[in-house]
Amino acid sequence: MNRLAMASENLLLESLRRGDRDAFTQIYRRYWEPLYRTAYCRLHVRESAEEIVQDLFIQLWERRETQHIDRLENYLFRAVRNAVIDYIRREISQNRRLEYYQLFMLTDDHSGEGDSLEVAQQQLNRGIELLPDKTRQIFVLHRLKGWPIERLAQHYALSDKAIEYHLTKSLKVLRLYLRNALYCTMLLPLA
């Protein structure tokens, strides 16, 4: 194992490809800390940074015979960067879904009448009607009919950023409307 402590990157890679556990251990010891710091500096979540780095090393070991790596250090840091980006994308997507459901699903029916889902749907429909025409159309097509941003941009001859602007605007208006509607529902029963 001492022979690998000062081994070059190429020797470590060759040994790793042959299934040398000592080479893998040396790579792990050499790169775990800087890879962890890189992930942590971008995420600021210790557990997630650790998980990303651990997954990277698991993949490195599992794919050791088939993966072509020219420069180990570059490969590892690029892989961590990509894993962090994927993690952030998943988090954003999950947060958007959570925000969507929180925004549109009123869980308590304070009116004493009907199903809370029906009341929530009525409030949502009223809020959607308040949106400007183009913003409403874009919102309905994206959120309720599942059109991707690229398709909307092409359909309306707008940039992706413009479509995102309309979606952000609609969410702000609806969030405020539904918050006020919920508050009023709690104070005054719906007729």
Side-chain angles (χ1 to χ4, degrees):
M1 188 152 127
N2 284 341
R3 69 179 172 80
L4 293 174
M6 302 303 277
S8 72
E9 206 174 74
N10 290 336
L11 178 61
L12 286 174
L13 277 171
E14 288 174 28
S15 299
L16 176 68
R17 283 187 195 110
R18 291 190 308 267
D20 186 338
R21 291 182 186 274
D22 291 336
F24 178 77
T25 301
Q26 189 57 41
I27 292 169
Y28 183 87
R29 287 182 180 158
R30 191 178 288 185
Y31 291 105
W32 188 90
E33 181 71 29
L35 292 171
Y36 167 77
R37 276 189 270 119
T38 298
Y40 181 79
C41 286
R42 287 170 173 79
L43 298 175
H44 302 287
V45 179
R46 184 179 56 83
E47 295 83 9
S48 299
E50 287 175 355
E51 186 176 327
I52 284 172
V53 175
Q54 294 296 59
D55 287 346
L56 171 62
F57 279 107
I58 289 169
Q59 290 173 11
L60 181 66
W61 177 256
E62 289 175 346
R63 299 176 184 170
R64 68 189 177 275
E65 295 170 348
T66 58
Q67 200 158 20
H68 178 72
I69 301 172
D70 290 326
R71 300 229 30 243
L72 181 62
E73 184 174 348
N74 290 349
Y75 168 81
L76 292 172
F77 281 96
R78 189 174 344 104
V80 162
R81 182 183 61 105
N82 291 339
V84 166
I85 290 169
D86 289 345
Y87 174 86
I88 291 170
R89 282 186 183 142
R90 279 192 311 275
E91 286 296 304
I92 288 170
S93 177
Q94 288 173 352
N95 287 341
R96 281 185 182 159
R97 272 184 266 149
L98 179 61
E99 182 179 272
Y100 175 79
Y101 288 114
Q102 287 174 342
L103 180 63
F104 299 117
M105 303 302 287
L106 301 173
T107 56
D108 293 325
D109 181 11
H110 296 286
S111 67
E113 300 174 11
D115 184 27
S116 63
L117 186 56
E118 186 178 319
V119 172
Q121 188 63 50
Q122 290 171 356
Q123 293 293 352
L124 175 60
N125 291 339
R126 288 182 195 142
I128 290 172
E129 290 303 316
L130 294 175
L131 297 172
D133 287 339
K134 187 180 278 188
T135 301
R136 180 178 59 248
Q137 293 167 5
I138 289 171
F139 176 83
V140 168
L141 290 173
H142 181 68
R143 291 291 183 151
L144 304 179
K145 300 204 183 218
W147 282 33
I149 289 174
E150 297 79 20
R151 183 176 175 191
L152 287 165
Q154 188 176 32
H155 180 75
Y156 287 100
L158 296 171
S159 68
D160 289 358
K161 289 287 185 195
I163 296 297
E164 289 172 4
Y165 165 79
H166 283 283
L167 293 171
T168 301
K169 180 179 174 181
S170 63
L171 287 175
K172 286 179 182 176
V173 168
L174 289 171
R175 187 179 295 121
L176 181 62
Y177 176 79
L178 291 175
R179 190 176 295 141
N180 290 338
L182 176 61
Y183 179 73
C184 291
T185 302
M186 291 168 53
L187 295 178
L188 301 169
L190 291 176

